[in-house]
Amino acid sequence: MNQEEQKHFPRRCKVKLYNDNYANYKRYDIPCKAQLVIGDVPYQLGANAYGSNPMWYKGRDNKNGESKLAGKSFFRTDDIFKLPEFFNFCTRLLKKEPKKSKGRTNPQAPAMILFCAFQQAHMIEELGKRYGFQHSYPLFFIKKSSAQALKANMKIVGATEMAMVLYRDKLPKFNNTDADGVRHMVKNWFPWERDNPKIYPKIHPTQKPVNLLKQLIKIFTDPYDVVIDPCAGSGSTLRACMELRRTCYGFEVDKKFYRLAKEKMLVLPEDNEISLFGEAGAM
């Protein structure tokens, strides 16, 4: 964190969620640009979003007939999501890469993490280059089970999630030192452990585990750095930042998910160093 940023956040971090599209960010006073952007872009599953999931049927049993989720996409906004517009936003809201640097790394260089489908990875890599992110590499998340239950007797089912790390020129900030001050290797795969629902409620169909997000945020940021989530959903990224002393701004267009995130996920810890903002009209 540089001296200019310390003027804004000398001892406190802020967590703020807007009920708005990220493209309207200029309406809001976001004082610092982000060290890290975490995004979960639509997987382009269309009307087949629940196609291999038992939730397609009433009571998760095909004997009961199709449920209201049959033939439906996860979100009505998926079809109008524009990846180029998204990248344009990320380019504007991420910190600029410092000019002075030694070698291939820079402790202030920012990064993006985009969760995506495997089939989208190459497209995201190429689109990133058009917007100045010349480098990328994949991350993989290993689950203990698969949502493709209806295909379990037909083929090998998917039990992984994927994300792409994108950066401009210099390798971004990288924290691989443990509590004892010993550096360790960070592999490109992580176990996908479900959160305890008593602590982190499940309120979104594509919700990412808070504890997993905390691992990623700790690797690419320091306390009081700024994180932005353009598609906040359940608010899990914001909750992870609250617990890690990172300032975080999130955007969520769906009023239902915004309300649930605010009421259930973004519960203020008993800690006076964290402030949770939510003005009427700006949320």
Side-chain angles (χ1 to χ4, degrees):
M1 191 176 200
N2 60 38
Q3 292 181 349
E4 183 62 28
E5 291 170 324
Q6 289 175 358
K7 293 178 182 177
H8 293 289
F9 309 116
R11 292 188 303 171
R12 301 172 69 89
C13 66
K14 301 178 182 180
V15 174
K16 200 165 184 177
L17 178 63
Y18 303 103
N19 184 202
D20 204 347
N21 189 292
Y22 60 81
N24 298 322
Y25 72 93
K26 290 184 179 180
R27 296 178 181 176
Y28 310 103
D29 183 21
I30 299 178
C32 290
K33 292 195 174 183
Q35 181 68 37
L36 175 66
V37 168
I38 296 182
D40 185 12
V41 301
Y43 288 12
Q44 303 298 321
L45 297 175
N48 201 41
Y50 295 92
S52 57
N53 191 302
M55 293 175 67
W56 185 277
Y57 299 103
K58 295 178 181 178
R60 307 174 71 91
D61 189 335
N62 61 0
K63 296 179 181 179
N64 299 328
E66 295 182 341
S67 73
K68 63 180 181 180
L69 300 177
K72 300 290 180 63
S73 60
F74 280 138
F75 316 109
R76 55 186 173 80
T77 56
D78 283 5
D79 293 336
I80 61 174
F81 186 88
K82 307 295 184 183
L83 263 177
E85 183 181 86
F86 179 88
F87 267 93
N88 183 56
F89 165 85
C90 295
T91 300
R92 293 175 180 274
L93 268 292
L94 269 180
K95 292 170 58 176
K96 292 183 179 180
E97 190 170 83
K99 294 181 179 179
K100 294 182 179 180
S101 181
K102 295 181 179 180
R104 287 279 302 127
T105 64
N106 190 295
Q108 296 303 321
M112 289 173 55
I113 300 176
L114 298 187
F115 287 89
C116 63
F118 176 78
Q119 293 84 352
Q120 295 173 302
H122 180 69
M123 175 183 63
I124 287 174
E125 180 183 18
E126 293 304 311
L127 190 59
K129 291 178 180 178
R130 285 172 48 189
Y131 283 86
F133 299 95
Q134 299 302 317
H135 307 281
S136 63
Y137 57 86
L139 300 178
F140 301 94
F141 308 97
I142 313 302
K143 297 181 176 180
K144 293 181 178 179
S145 62
S146 172
Q148 297 178 334
L150 301 182
K151 295 183 179 179
N153 293 323
M154 304 177 191
K155 67 171 192 175
I156 296 174
V157 295
T160 62
E161 291 272 348
M162 183 178 180
M164 296 292 292
V165 177
L166 300 100
Y167 59 99
R168 295 184 179 112
D169 182 33
K170 304 298 181 183
L171 282 164
K173 179 180 293 188
F174 180 64
N175 295 318
N176 65 333
T177 304
D178 61 25
D180 297 322
V182 178
R183 291 185 177 181
H184 59 94
M185 182 183 295
V186 180
K187 304 179 183 68
N188 70 343
W189 65 270
F190 299 77
W192 183 283
E193 301 288 349
R194 293 182 179 180
D195 287 329
N196 183 339
K198 295 182 179 179
I199 301 174
Y200 306 116
K202 175 71 173 180
I203 61 179
H204 195 279
T206 62
Q207 183 170 320
K208 304 300 182 283
V210 173
N211 286 313
L212 176 62
L213 292 169
K214 287 170 71 174
Q215 291 184 63
L216 298 176
I217 291 167
K218 284 192 289 186
I219 290 171
F220 292 99
T221 69
D222 292 318
Y224 304 103
D225 277 342
V226 177
V227 178
I228 292 179
D229 187 341
C231 309
S234 66
S236 53
T237 299
L238 285 80
R239 177 63 180 268
C241 287
M242 289 171 68
E243 298 185 9
L244 293 176
R245 306 284 195 290
R246 270 66 166 175
T247 285
C248 188
Y249 300 96
F251 296 83
E252 175 53 46
V253 295
D254 190 292
K255 291 182 179 180
K256 174 186 175 182
F257 291 129
Y258 162 75
R259 177 179 57 80
L260 291 173
K262 185 179 176 183
E263 294 176 356
K264 296 185 177 183
M265 183 63 75
L266 301 182
V267 180
L268 185 67
E270 296 180 0
D271 190 326
N272 60 11
E273 291 186 3
I274 299 177
S275 57
L276 179 62
F277 289 76
E279 302 102 345
M283 300 289 289

